[in-house]
């Protein structure tokens, strides 16, 4: 089976590097292997700080129908909230779509 290609916009990649949060990018790409996530053509990823370096990560279909959620540790991340779209194998900011 051929491995799928994934892309990230340069603006989002710079932001995640600046925020010390490249682990988040890798986590979202890795989660694409889950069948329940892979089936969703348009994905909205919402990340929100819960406490210090712990964040909630929620995936929905763009209509707030939750598909997946988890917590993730992002030490050194300065952002409190983030939102990304994943569509056509590209992870981007909503304004880059």
């Amino acid at each position: 089976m051929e491995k799928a290609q994934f892309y990230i916009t340069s603006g989002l990649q710079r932001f995640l590097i600046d925020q010390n949060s490249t682990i988040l990018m890798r986590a979202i790409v890795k989660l694409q292997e889950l069948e329940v996530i892979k089936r969703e053509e348009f994905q909205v990823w919402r990340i929100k700080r819960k406490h210090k370096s712990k964040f909630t990560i929620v995936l929905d279909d763009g209509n707030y129908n939750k598909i997946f959620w988890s917590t993730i540790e992002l030490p050194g991340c300065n952002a409190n909230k983030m939102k990304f779209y994943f569509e056509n194998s590209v992870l981007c900011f909503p304004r880059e779509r």
Side-chain angles (χ1 to χ4, degrees), residues 36-51:
V36 68
I37 293 174
K38 191 188 306 185
R39 281 194 302 252
E40 193 59 44
E41 291 180 32
F42 179 73
Q43 303 171 11
V44 178
W45 291 90
R46 302 171 199 277
I47 299 91
K48 186 175 181 181
R49 184 184 305 273
K50 293 311 272 179
H51 182 68

Side-chain angles (χ1 to χ4, degrees), residues 10-84:
S10 59
L12 178 55
Q13 187 170 19
R14 265 192 312 277
F15 171 80
L16 292 173
I17 290 168
D18 290 347
Q19 293 299 314
N20 213 14
S21 300
T22 55
I23 190 169
L24 181 58
M25 172 183 57
R26 289 190 300 269
I28 290 172
V29 170
K30 183 72 174 161
L31 287 167
Q32 297 303 316
E33 295 175 8
L34 297 176
E35 194 60 40
V36 68
I37 293 174
K38 191 188 306 185
R39 281 194 302 252
E40 193 59 44
E41 291 180 32
F42 179 73
Q43 303 171 11
V44 178
W45 291 90
R46 302 171 199 277
I47 299 91
K48 186 175 181 181
R49 184 184 305 273
K50 293 311 272 179
H51 182 68
K52 296 187 182 180
S53 62
K54 292 192 193 266
F55 289 76
T56 301
I57 181 170
V58 177
L59 165 65
D60 69 57
D61 64 359
N63 292 318
Y64 296 96
N65 296 310
K66 195 181 299 183
I67 296 165
F68 174 86
W69 71 270
S70 185
T71 57
I72 189 169
E73 188 94 17
L74 298 172
C77 180
N78 295 321
N80 288 317
K81 285 178 23 176
M82 296 174 268
K83 179 178 172 182
F84 312 127

